[in-house]
Amino acid sequence: METDEEQPRLLPFQLQFDKPVASQIKIAEWNPEKDLLAMVTEDSKILLHRFNWQRLWTISPGRCITSLCWRPDGKALAVGLDDGIVSFHDVENGKLLRRLEPHTVAVVCLNWEEDRELNREDSSDCITFEDRTPRFFPVAPTPPRMPGVVSGDTGFIDDSEDSYQELSSSSYQRFNVLCSADKDGNICFSVFGIFPIGKINIHNFSVSTSLVDKQSTYQLMKASTYKVALSKDLCHLAVMCSGEFRENMVESRESQMPGHNMHGSHVLVLDTSIFMKRKNELHQLAQQASNIEELIEVIRASLSVMSKQWSDAMHTFQEKFGSLSTLIVDHALESSPQEEFLSLLCGTRTSPAVHQFLVNTLGEVGVKRISKVVCGAGKELQRIVIDHMQPAAEMIAFRMGELRGLSRWRARYGVIGLDETLISSATEKSGMILVQIELFMRVVSSVELQFSNFFSWLLKCIKLLMQEPSDQLMPYSGELVIIFLKFLYDQDPVKELLSEVGHDIEVDLAAVQRVKELVLFGGFSDCEFLQRTLAKEFQEMASSFKKAFQMPFITISRKIVCKGLLPLFPLPSSPASMPVRMSISYYEDDSLSVSSQQNCQHGLVDYVCFQMPNEPSSDISNHIGIVRGFMDNSSTLKKGCNTSLEAVLLSIPAGYNCVDLSLYKDTQVVLLLNKTETSSESSGEARMMVVQASELPFASISRSTSPNIWKMHQLKDSAVELQIENEKVRCIPHSVIAPLAVSASRGVACVFAARKRALVYILDEDEDDAPETE
C-alpha cells in the first residue's frame, strides 16, 4: 500500500448531494438496476428517491420496518416487518403487490438472489418448460371488488386487480429465491418471493467433529441472526450470527467428558445446492403453484363478495316483507303470509291485512325497489361466477392437470416432493368445484327468475287493488308464484350454498346412485361432494392444495443441511458487545491460486467482511476482518478434516472507529469511519475509505468444525495497518451514522449524517458514467 508522496493523491469520488431528511434514516438500499434509493426512516416510513433526490413516493405500513431488499430485477421491493410479515411493493408507485406471513417474529434480514448463469456448459442438458395455459385460456381473472368500495389512494394497502400479476408473471424470466431470516433463527425460502419452498432453523443444526481423543457435536443454542447471503449460483447460504455453541461429548477414550459452551461470532454455511440442481423442476412447480394460489384467492374473494351482496339483498327483502306477519297477527287472522298470498292468487277476497300491506305499506315504488335490489343481486352473482369464479376454477383444473402429469415423472419431481397421490387428490377436488359452480349457477338462475316472477305478480295485484290499468306490466306465471311461496318465501337456498358450515344439501337418491356408479368406473373417489355447499367444496379444494404443496416444502427443507462452521472471534455474554456491522458477497475473483479456483463452483469466491467488537479486554478490538473462500471449499470439510482458507485483519487508524462497512464491486470494501477525538464545539469529522480487498496480504488459516478455535486471533500479529493518507479516502466535515448504502451498478454511495442529512457520492472516477449533478 505504498504511494508516491511526490504526486498528490486524487480523491476517487466527489460529493454530489448534501440533502436534508425529515427523519433519521435507519435502513437504505440502492436499486440493483436503476438509480433509485429506498430508505426507511425511524418513524417507519419508506421513501423512494431518484439519484437527483427527486422523491417518487412515500408509504407507511403502520408498524415497525426491520429489513429491506430489492428483487434482482429492481422492479419490486421486499419489506420485512416486526410482526413477521414480508410485504412486496411495486417500484413505480409503491403499491402493495402481495403480503406473506412466513414468520411470527421480526424479520431481521432479507436477501434476494436469482440464477445468473446465462452460458452454462451443460445448458443443453437443462429441461425447460413452457406455460401452456395462455394457449387455451384468456388472461387470468382478477378478484371482484366488494360492492361500495371505490378504488383510490389507500396508502400502504392497494387492492389493485393487477397487483399479483405484476409480482408473479415478470418473475418467470429468471429463477430467483428470496431468503428471509427472523430474530429467532428461522430462515424461510420462497421461489419468486411468493411461493414458499423451504424453512429451517439454525438452532436445529449441529456440527460434528472427530479428533484424536474424542468425538463431539456442537449445536447453536442462543443466537441472533444478523446477516444471510445466498450465493449467486444458489448453492450456498452464508449465515453470520453471534451466539453460543454448546459442545455435546459423544465418547472419549477413557471416560465421558462434560461439554462446554463457546460464545462468539460465527459463520454457518448451508448447502442449498438443491435450488440449482433442481432449478427447472422448482421453476415449473413454483410457476404452476403460485398461479393456482392466485386463482384460489380469486375464488375466495368471489365467494366473499357474493355472500355479502346476497345477504344485503335478502336483508332488504325480509325488512319489508317481515312487517306482513305483524299485520296479519294484528288483524287476528289465523294464517301465514304464504296462505294470504295464495288466497289472493286464487282470486278470493283479499284480507284487510294483505290489502293494507300491498297498497299502503309496500306500494308500487317499494315493490320496484325491492325487485331491483334482489334481482340485481341475482344477476350480479351470475356475473361474478361467469367473469371470475368459473374461469379461475377452469384454469386451476388445467394447471392441476399439468402438475399431475409432472408428478408421474418421479425421477425428476419426486426428488422435490411432488407427490402423485396428493396431486391427484387435489386435481379431483378442482373438478368437484366446477360441478358445484354449475349447480350453483342453476340455483341462482332459478331463484332470480322466481323472485322476478313474484314481484311482477305483486305489481299487477297492487294495480288491481288500486283500480289502475296494468297492461304495461310484465306477465307472470301463477305456477311459479305457487312454487315460490311454497319453497322460497321463507327459505334461502342461495345463502345455504354460500354457507361454509352448518348446511348439508339434500340430493335425490337417483343422483347419489349415479355418483356411486361413477366411482366404480374410476372417475373419482368422493361420493358425497353433491351434498356439500359451494363454500364447503371450496374449503375442501383449498385444503387439498395445501397438503399437496406442503410436501415439496417439507422435502426441500430437509435437504438444506449445515455444510460448515467458521468461528470468527469470541464474545462476552453481554448482548451489548455483539457486532452489528457485516457484509457478505460473492465475486468472480481471478486473484486466487489455480488450486483454490478448482474448488470454486463457477468461479465464485465468497467474501465475508465484519467489524471486530470494541472490547477493552480484547487485543484485536477496532479491527476489520475479511475472510474469503470459506463457502467455496466447504465441501472438503468432512468428519473433522482440516482445510485452509484465507483471511486478513485490518487495523483501523488510531483516533477513528468504524461506523459501517460494505463490500463493493471488484472485491472492494467501503469503510465509514468517525473521528473519536472531537471538540465540544465542532460537529465532528468522518472519513469514507475504499480498500481493494484482492490486493491485501491474505494469509491461510487452518479451519475445522470446532467452535472453540477462534480463527481471527491467528492473524493478530500480522494485521494490516490502514493509513488515512495512503488510502482512497474522502473527508466528511461532520460525524456520520449508519447506514452506508453502496450501489455496485453505478458506483454510488449514500452516507447519512448524524444531523439528519444524506450525503451522496460518486465513487468511480469515470465521468462518462457519472450521473449529472444539480
Side-chain angles (χ1 to χ4, degrees), residues 374-394:
V374 175
C375 297
K379 288 182 172 61
E380 182 64 17
L381 262 61
Q382 296 178 62
R383 186 195 66 81
I384 292 176
V385 171
I386 294 174
D387 294 345
H388 300 274
M389 181 179 289
Q390 189 167 1
E394 291 173 350

Side-chain angles (χ1 to χ4, degrees), residues 698-761:
F698 280 87
S700 296
I701 59 176
S702 63
R703 59 178 271 180
S704 68
T705 56
S706 178
N708 61 349
I709 302 177
W710 305 108
K711 302 303 178 184
M712 303 311 295
H713 277 269
Q714 303 175 17
L715 304 175
K716 62 181 180 179
D717 296 331
S718 58
V720 177
E721 296 284 343
L722 294 177
Q723 302 295 329
I724 293 293
E725 62 275 8
N726 292 341
E727 303 296 339
K728 298 179 180 179
V729 178
R730 175 75 191 196
C731 179
I732 302 174
H734 44 72
S735 299
V736 294
I737 62 174
L740 164 68
V742 179
S743 169
S745 61
R746 295 285 289 179
V748 178
C750 189
V751 180
F752 294 93
R755 53 190 179 94
K756 293 184 180 181
R757 301 191 71 82
L759 313 176
V760 182
Y761 293 90

Side-chain angles (χ1 to χ4, degrees), residues 416-435:
I416 63 172
L418 200 62
D419 185 84
E420 182 181 355
T421 302
L422 294 176
I423 293 295
S424 297
S425 176
T427 305
E428 179 181 314
K429 296 297 183 183
S430 64
M432 301 300 183
I433 196 72
L434 284 171
V435 177

Side-chain angles (χ1 to χ4, degrees), residues 330-354:
D330 293 342
H331 286 78
L333 299 177
E334 296 181 357
S335 60
S336 65
Q338 291 94 322
E339 293 171 341
E340 291 292 323
F341 280 133
L342 285 173
S343 177
L344 176 62
L345 180 64
C346 294
T348 58
R349 190 174 65 87
T350 305
S351 67
V354 174

Side-chain angles (χ1 to χ4, degrees), residues 61 86 102 121 178 226 415 424 432 513 623 769:
V86 178
E121 296 179 358
L178 173 67
Y226 285 108
V415 179
S424 297
M432 301 300 183
Q513 184 61 32
H623 281 64
D769 293 337

